[in-house]
Amino acid sequence: MSVEKRTAPEATLRALTNVMEDIFQSPSDARGGAVTSFVIYEPIPLYTLDLQQAAGAEALKQAKQIAWRYILHSGSERLFADIDSEEGDNSSDSDLFSGLTEGPVAEALEKQLIEVDFEEDSPDKNWELRIIEIPSINVGAIWLLGQTAQTPTKFYSYLGTADFSGQTSESDFISVVNNRAVERLMEGSNRSLSTP
């Protein structure tokens, strides 16, 4: 396989399964609670940028991994769960759990992951699979980081798709991100604050 995944720390899977058991436990079960069954896929590192970083020319170099994203299936239901990537000595499983998302965003992410898996299965090229989200400008994309000079970095948008269609090059992705971030910063600076 030409798209590679990094290995998450064991603590992230433990945190996920423990918190999911707490969330989906059925209190009406006389045996102490039934747990909804989920298929859990290998996690993908989740990166983010704040608005100032997104407006900069070196945006991707400033991207920081904040979590591991697990894709979950339960029957026809699609979800993803984020588990913080930084664990402290005193972190409990619930401290590491960042959130659970279902619905159209989870379905769009899975659809793009399937497309990436299908399109990028090339024996002579290697990418590292990542996800990048920039909430301040409503952008989310699968980030295929090229591992060699012959393997260009690519992005597949699943959130904020109006500016992207299918595969996007690194330069096009950065251009859209920079433009959106600068516009948002300008909107913020043009707002006047009123006092009571």
Side-chain angles (χ1 to χ4, degrees):
M1 182 77 167
S2 59
V3 177
E4 300 169 359
K5 292 182 182 176
R6 291 194 347 245
T7 304
E10 288 181 22
T12 62
L13 181 58
R14 184 181 63 246
L16 173 67
T17 54
N18 289 343
V19 171
M20 293 296 285
E21 286 175 358
D22 290 344
I23 291 173
F24 289 96
Q25 193 170 39
S26 171
S28 62
D29 187 356
R31 295 169 296 171
V35 176
T36 302
S37 176
F38 285 96
V39 175
I40 301 173
Y41 293 89
E42 288 182 45
I44 304 166
L46 173 63
Y47 287 75
T48 193
L49 293 167
D50 65 26
L51 188 58
Q52 293 287 340
Q53 292 168 331
E58 300 291 314
L60 287 180
K61 290 182 180 177
Q62 296 184 38
K64 178 182 177 189
Q65 183 182 350
I66 58 166
W68 289 91
R69 177 158 292 170
Y70 284 86
I71 308 298
L72 310 167
H73 290 181
S74 178
S76 63
E77 191 173 15
R78 302 298 185 250
L79 319 127
F80 60 76
D82 294 339
I83 306 295
D84 288 345
S85 61
E86 294 182 21
E87 54 183 278
D89 293 334
N90 298 321
S91 297
S92 69
D93 291 343
S94 59
D95 289 338
L96 294 175
F97 185 78
S98 296
L100 185 66
T101 302
E102 59 184 323
V105 174
E107 291 167 10
L109 174 58
E110 182 178 51
K111 180 179 176 184
Q112 284 294 30
L113 284 168
I114 291 168
E115 185 176 326
V116 165
D117 194 36
F118 178 75
E119 286 186 13
E120 304 304 343
D121 191 10
S122 171
D124 60 337
K125 296 187 175 170
N126 291 309
W127 292 273
E128 179 187 313
L129 180 62
R130 298 176 172 189
I131 295 172
I132 186 164
E133 290 186 345
I134 312 165
S136 58
I137 57 172
N138 195 35
V139 168
I142 296 167
W143 176 6
L144 295 183
L145 180 64
Q147 300 296 291
T148 66
Q150 296 79 25
T151 309
T153 295
K154 301 176 182 183
F155 294 86
Y156 289 80
S157 177
Y158 64 88
L159 181 62
T161 57
D163 296 319
F164 305 106
S165 61
Q167 172 199 317
T168 304
S169 70
E170 181 175 353
S171 60
D172 288 347
F173 181 80
I174 291 298
S175 176
V176 169
V177 164
N178 287 162
N179 289 339
R180 278 193 184 185
V182 168
E183 286 174 13
R184 182 63 51 90
L185 286 168
M186 295 299 289
E187 288 171 8
S189 68
N190 290 334
R191 290 188 186 141
S192 61
L193 298 176
S194 60
T195 55

